[in-house]
Amino acid sequence: LTNKAKLKILDKISAIIESDNKFRFVSFDIPEEMRNNRNKFRDALKRLGFKKIQASLWVIDKNVGDQVEMVAYEYEVKKFIEYIVSEKTDIDGYISKLFDTN
């Protein structure tokens, strides 16, 4: 699939990736003059299954690094984002509740 096609099915791609008990954080500071790209990037994070912790800090419990990189590249915001993998944080309980499906 092309990147454009993958963008259209981000939610389906994310749905087949299982949690591995690590958290992935995306932090971004995309300039106001790139508002449209920032909004598209944020929407893509939501479609991947990311949950918002703060305005520009999002988290997921799946390994979707390749998808985040592809989205950042397609929307030309790659230099404005950071992708962080963590096995433990001081807010694990809060994050776990975000992904609790019970």
Side-chain angles (χ1 to χ4, degrees), residues 44-71:
L45 291 180
K46 291 176 189 175
R47 291 181 51 225
L48 281 169
F50 276 85
K51 305 290 183 179
K52 183 167 83 168
I53 295 176
Q54 295 178 351
S56 296
L57 182 62
W58 296 67
V59 66
I60 194 167
D61 61 347
K62 301 176 179 184
N63 185 359
V64 293
D66 291 342
Q67 290 77 20
V68 171
E69 185 173 353
M70 182 266 305
V71 169

mmCIF file of all heavy atoms in Angstrom, residues 44-71:
data_model
loop_
_atom_site.group_PDB
_atom_site.id
_atom_site.type_symbol
_atom_site.label_atom_id
_atom_site.label_comp_id
_atom_site.label_asym_id
_atom_site.label_seq_id
_atom_site.Cartn_x
_atom_site.Cartn_y
_atom_site.Cartn_z
ATOM 1 N N ALA A 44 -4.829 11.917 12.995
ATOM 2 C CA ALA A 44 -4.221 10.613 12.724
ATOM 3 C C ALA A 44 -3.851 9.910 14.020
ATOM 4 O O ALA A 44 -4.036 8.691 14.149
ATOM 5 C CB ALA A 44 -2.998 10.781 11.823
ATOM 6 N N LEU A 45 -3.336 10.655 14.999
ATOM 7 C CA LEU A 45 -3.021 10.053 16.299
ATOM 8 C C LEU A 45 -4.274 9.454 16.925
ATOM 9 O O LEU A 45 -4.248 8.338 17.451
ATOM 10 C CB LEU A 45 -2.403 11.085 17.246
ATOM 11 C CG LEU A 45 -1.006 11.603 16.915
ATOM 12 C CD1 LEU A 45 -0.570 12.618 17.969
ATOM 13 C CD2 LEU A 45 -0.001 10.474 16.803
ATOM 14 N N LYS A 46 -5.370 10.181 16.862
ATOM 15 C CA LYS A 46 -6.635 9.683 17.405
ATOM 16 C C LYS A 46 -7.060 8.407 16.697
ATOM 17 O O LYS A 46 -7.492 7.450 17.331
ATOM 18 C CB LYS A 46 -7.733 10.736 17.267
ATOM 19 C CG LYS A 46 -7.551 11.941 18.146
ATOM 20 C CD LYS A 46 -8.651 12.960 17.850
ATOM 21 C CE LYS A 46 -8.395 14.275 18.528
ATOM 22 N NZ LYS A 46 -9.392 15.306 18.158
ATOM 23 N N ARG A 47 -6.941 8.390 15.384
ATOM 24 C CA ARG A 47 -7.340 7.212 14.602
ATOM 25 C C ARG A 47 -6.459 6.011 14.907
ATOM 26 O O ARG A 47 -6.913 4.875 14.833
ATOM 27 C CB ARG A 47 -7.339 7.547 13.112
ATOM 28 C CG ARG A 47 -8.466 8.535 12.776
ATOM 29 C CD ARG A 47 -8.555 8.909 11.322
ATOM 30 N NE ARG A 47 -8.578 7.744 10.461
ATOM 31 C CZ ARG A 47 -7.837 7.650 9.346
ATOM 32 N NH1 ARG A 47 -7.035 8.611 8.980
ATOM 33 N NH2 ARG A 47 -7.920 6.570 8.602
ATOM 34 N N LEU A 48 -5.194 6.259 15.264
ATOM 35 C CA LEU A 48 -4.305 5.175 15.649
ATOM 36 C C LEU A 48 -4.647 4.622 17.034
ATOM 37 O O LEU A 48 -4.262 3.515 17.369
ATOM 38 C CB LEU A 48 -2.843 5.639 15.632
ATOM 39 C CG LEU A 48 -2.182 5.700 14.276
ATOM 40 C CD1 LEU A 48 -0.845 6.421 14.360
ATOM 41 C CD2 LEU A 48 -1.993 4.285 13.711
ATOM 42 N N GLY A 49 -5.365 5.407 17.832
ATOM 43 C CA GLY A 49 -5.734 4.960 19.166
ATOM 44 C C GLY A 49 -5.025 5.684 20.284
ATOM 45 O O GLY A 49 -5.135 5.292 21.452
ATOM 46 N N PHE A 50 -4.284 6.736 19.959
ATOM 47 C CA PHE A 50 -3.614 7.518 20.991
ATOM 48 C C PHE A 50 -4.640 8.211 21.872
ATOM 49 O O PHE A 50 -5.721 8.578 21.413
ATOM 50 C CB PHE A 50 -2.704 8.582 20.361
ATOM 51 C CG PHE A 50 -1.348 8.087 19.983
ATOM 52 C CD1 PHE A 50 -1.145 7.463 18.761
ATOM 53 C CD2 PHE A 50 -0.263 8.240 20.834
ATOM 54 C CE1 PHE A 50 0.102 7.003 18.393
ATOM 55 C CE2 PHE A 50 0.986 7.787 20.488
ATOM 56 C CZ PHE A 50 1.174 7.160 19.267
ATOM 57 N N LYS A 51 -4.283 8.391 23.138
ATOM 58 C CA LYS A 51 -5.107 9.122 24.096
ATOM 59 C C LYS A 51 -4.333 10.373 24.516
ATOM 60 O O LYS A 51 -3.120 10.337 24.699
ATOM 61 C CB LYS A 51 -5.396 8.282 25.340
ATOM 62 C CG LYS A 51 -6.019 6.937 25.052
ATOM 63 C CD LYS A 51 -7.423 7.063 24.565
ATOM 64 C CE LYS A 51 -8.017 5.670 24.373
ATOM 65 N NZ LYS A 51 -9.363 5.675 23.919
ATOM 66 N N LYS A 52 -5.071 11.468 24.672
ATOM 67 C CA LYS A 52 -4.445 12.734 25.024
ATOM 68 C C LYS A 52 -4.197 12.806 26.523
ATOM 69 O O LYS A 52 -5.085 12.561 27.321
ATOM 70 C CB LYS A 52 -5.334 13.902 24.581
ATOM 71 C CG LYS A 52 -4.722 15.261 24.839
ATOM 72 C CD LYS A 52 -5.471 16.360 24.125
ATOM 73 C CE LYS A 52 -6.652 16.800 24.911
ATOM 74 N NZ LYS A 52 -7.238 18.057 24.393
ATOM 75 N N ILE A 53 -2.952 13.135 26.893
ATOM 76 C CA ILE A 53 -2.598 13.386 28.288
ATOM 77 C C ILE A 53 -2.602 14.886 28.534
ATOM 78 O O ILE A 53 -3.128 15.367 29.528
ATOM 79 C CB ILE A 53 -1.217 12.795 28.627
ATOM 80 C CG1 ILE A 53 -1.260 11.280 28.506
ATOM 81 C CG2 ILE A 53 -0.785 13.217 30.026
ATOM 82 C CD1 ILE A 53 0.068 10.612 28.734
ATOM 83 N N GLN A 54 -1.998 15.619 27.625
ATOM 84 C CA GLN A 54 -1.997 17.082 27.626
ATOM 85 C C GLN A 54 -2.179 17.517 26.185
ATOM 86 O O GLN A 54 -2.192 16.684 25.282
ATOM 87 C CB GLN A 54 -0.678 17.624 28.185
ATOM 88 C CG GLN A 54 -0.443 17.301 29.638
ATOM 89 C CD GLN A 54 0.896 17.827 30.127
ATOM 90 O OE1 GLN A 54 1.724 18.291 29.343
ATOM 91 N NE2 GLN A 54 1.112 17.744 31.415
ATOM 92 N N ALA A 55 -2.283 18.810 25.954
ATOM 93 C CA ALA A 55 -2.578 19.315 24.609
ATOM 94 C C ALA A 55 -1.666 18.720 23.534
ATOM 95 O O ALA A 55 -2.126 18.320 22.477
ATOM 96 C CB ALA A 55 -2.503 20.836 24.582
ATOM 97 N N SER A 56 -0.389 18.641 23.792
ATOM 98 C CA SER A 56 0.550 18.140 22.783
ATOM 99 C C SER A 56 1.320 16.922 23.261
ATOM 100 O O SER A 56 2.425 16.651 22.795
ATOM 101 C CB SER A 56 1.530 19.247 22.393
ATOM 102 O OG SER A 56 0.844 20.306 21.782
ATOM 103 N N LEU A 57 0.726 16.162 24.173
ATOM 104 C CA LEU A 57 1.338 14.925 24.663
ATOM 105 C C LEU A 57 0.293 13.823 24.622
ATOM 106 O O LEU A 57 -0.735 13.900 25.292
ATOM 107 C CB LEU A 57 1.885 15.089 26.083
ATOM 108 C CG LEU A 57 2.578 13.861 26.673
ATOM 109 C CD1 LEU A 57 3.808 13.481 25.843
ATOM 110 C CD2 LEU A 57 2.960 14.113 28.120
ATOM 111 N N TRP A 58 0.565 12.818 23.805
ATOM 112 C CA TRP A 58 -0.370 11.728 23.572
ATOM 113 C C TRP A 58 0.311 10.407 23.890
ATOM 114 O O TRP A 58 1.539 10.293 23.805
ATOM 115 C CB TRP A 58 -0.832 11.755 22.120
ATOM 116 C CG TRP A 58 -1.610 12.991 21.773
ATOM 117 C CD1 TRP A 58 -1.138 14.277 21.711
ATOM 118 C CD2 TRP A 58 -2.990 13.064 21.493
ATOM 119 N NE1 TRP A 58 -2.146 15.141 21.394
ATOM 120 C CE2 TRP A 58 -3.302 14.432 21.246
ATOM 121 C CE3 TRP A 58 -4.008 12.127 21.406
ATOM 122 C CZ2 TRP A 58 -4.574 14.851 20.920
ATOM 123 C CZ3 TRP A 58 -5.275 12.557 21.080
ATOM 124 C CH2 TRP A 58 -5.555 13.899 20.839
ATOM 125 N N VAL A 59 -0.474 9.370 24.232
ATOM 126 C CA VAL A 59 0.077 8.076 24.622
ATOM 127 C C VAL A 59 -0.742 6.942 24.010
ATOM 128 O O VAL A 59 -1.945 7.071 23.778
ATOM 129 C CB VAL A 59 0.123 7.935 26.170
ATOM 130 C CG1 VAL A 59 -1.274 7.902 26.764
ATOM 131 C CG2 VAL A 59 0.937 6.723 26.611
ATOM 132 N N ILE A 60 -0.051 5.830 23.769
ATOM 133 C CA ILE A 60 -0.693 4.596 23.299
ATOM 134 C C ILE A 60 0.081 3.423 23.891
ATOM 135 O O ILE A 60 1.260 3.557 24.236
ATOM 136 C CB ILE A 60 -0.734 4.526 21.755
ATOM 137 C CG1 ILE A 60 -1.700 3.426 21.279
ATOM 138 C CG2 ILE A 60 0.655 4.337 21.170
ATOM 139 C CD1 ILE A 60 -2.025 3.501 19.791
ATOM 140 N N ASP A 61 -0.563 2.281 23.980
ATOM 141 C CA ASP A 61 0.077 1.094 24.541
ATOM 142 C C ASP A 61 0.404 0.048 23.469
ATOM 143 O O ASP A 61 0.453 -1.138 23.742
ATOM 144 C CB ASP A 61 -0.798 0.482 25.637
ATOM 145 C CG ASP A 61 -2.157 0.046 25.129
ATOM 146 O OD1 ASP A 61 -2.541 0.424 23.999
ATOM 147 O OD2 ASP A 61 -2.859 -0.677 25.869
ATOM 148 N N LYS A 62 0.627 0.493 22.259
ATOM 149 C CA LYS A 62 0.950 -0.381 21.128
ATOM 150 C C LYS A 62 2.169 0.156 20.390
ATOM 151 O O LYS A 62 2.417 1.355 20.394
ATOM 152 C CB LYS A 62 -0.211 -0.441 20.132
ATOM 153 C CG LYS A 62 -1.505 -0.951 20.707
ATOM 154 C CD LYS A 62 -2.587 -0.869 19.651
ATOM 155 C CE LYS A 62 -3.900 -1.403 20.166
ATOM 156 N NZ LYS A 62 -4.919 -1.403 19.101
ATOM 157 N N ASN A 63 2.877 -0.734 19.712
ATOM 158 C CA ASN A 63 4.035 -0.325 18.931
ATOM 159 C C ASN A 63 3.577 0.161 17.556
ATOM 160 O O ASN A 63 3.459 -0.615 16.608
ATOM 161 C CB ASN A 63 5.024 -1.479 18.787
ATOM 162 C CG ASN A 63 6.287 -1.049 18.082
ATOM 163 O OD1 ASN A 63 6.442 0.097 17.686
ATOM 164 N ND2 ASN A 63 7.202 -1.969 17.917
ATOM 165 N N VAL A 64 3.311 1.451 17.471
ATOM 166 C CA VAL A 64 2.851 2.058 16.219
ATOM 167 C C VAL A 64 3.861 3.084 15.704
ATOM 168 O O VAL A 64 3.505 4.002 14.974
ATOM 169 C CB VAL A 64 1.446 2.701 16.396
ATOM 170 C CG1 VAL A 64 0.383 1.656 16.641
ATOM 171 C CG2 VAL A 64 1.463 3.740 17.508
ATOM 172 N N GLY A 65 5.105 2.904 16.063
ATOM 173 C CA GLY A 65 6.151 3.844 15.669
ATOM 174 C C GLY A 65 6.268 4.032 14.171
ATOM 175 O O GLY A 65 6.430 5.157 13.690
ATOM 176 N N ASP A 66 6.167 2.946 13.418
ATOM 177 C CA ASP A 66 6.264 3.053 11.956
ATOM 178 C C ASP A 66 5.117 3.898 11.396
ATOM 179 O O ASP A 66 5.315 4.706 10.486
ATOM 180 C CB ASP A 66 6.248 1.673 11.305
ATOM 181 C CG ASP A 66 7.503 0.875 11.574
ATOM 182 O OD1 ASP A 66 8.536 1.477 11.965
ATOM 183 O OD2 ASP A 66 7.464 -0.363 11.398
ATOM 184 N N GLN A 67 3.927 3.710 11.958
ATOM 185 C CA GLN A 67 2.777 4.466 11.489
ATOM 186 C C GLN A 67 2.906 5.947 11.854
ATOM 187 O O GLN A 67 2.575 6.821 11.046
ATOM 188 C CB GLN A 67 1.481 3.886 12.078
ATOM 189 C CG GLN A 67 1.104 2.531 11.526
ATOM 190 C CD GLN A 67 1.934 1.381 12.098
ATOM 191 O OE1 GLN A 67 2.541 1.496 13.155
ATOM 192 N NE2 GLN A 67 1.951 0.263 11.393
ATOM 193 N N VAL A 68 3.386 6.240 13.060
ATOM 194 C CA VAL A 68 3.574 7.633 13.470
ATOM 195 C C VAL A 68 4.600 8.303 12.571
ATOM 196 O O VAL A 68 4.402 9.430 12.114
ATOM 197 C CB VAL A 68 3.998 7.732 14.953
ATOM 198 C CG1 VAL A 68 4.412 9.157 15.309
ATOM 199 C CG2 VAL A 68 2.874 7.257 15.859
ATOM 200 N N GLU A 69 5.677 7.599 12.285
ATOM 201 C CA GLU A 69 6.709 8.162 11.414
ATOM 202 C C GLU A 69 6.157 8.441 10.019
ATOM 203 O O GLU A 69 6.413 9.494 9.437
ATOM 204 C CB GLU A 69 7.903 7.213 11.327
ATOM 205 C CG GLU A 69 9.047 7.784 10.544
ATOM 206 C CD GLU A 69 10.293 6.915 10.588
ATOM 207 O OE1 GLU A 69 10.334 5.929 11.335
ATOM 208 O OE2 GLU A 69 11.242 7.266 9.861
ATOM 209 N N MET A 70 5.368 7.517 9.495
ATOM 210 C CA MET A 70 4.788 7.692 8.169
ATOM 211 C C MET A 70 3.834 8.892 8.158
ATOM 212 O O MET A 70 3.870 9.725 7.245
ATOM 213 C CB MET A 70 4.039 6.412 7.762
ATOM 214 C CG MET A 70 3.417 6.435 6.378
ATOM 215 S SD MET A 70 1.670 6.941 6.302
ATOM 216 C CE MET A 70 0.879 5.814 7.411
ATOM 217 N N VAL A 71 2.993 9.012 9.171
ATOM 218 C CA VAL A 71 2.048 10.127 9.256
ATOM 219 C C VAL A 71 2.801 11.457 9.358
ATOM 220 O O VAL A 71 2.481 12.422 8.665
ATOM 221 C CB VAL A 71 1.092 9.948 10.464
ATOM 222 C CG1 VAL A 71 0.296 11.214 10.716
ATOM 223 C CG2 VAL A 71 0.172 8.758 10.236
#
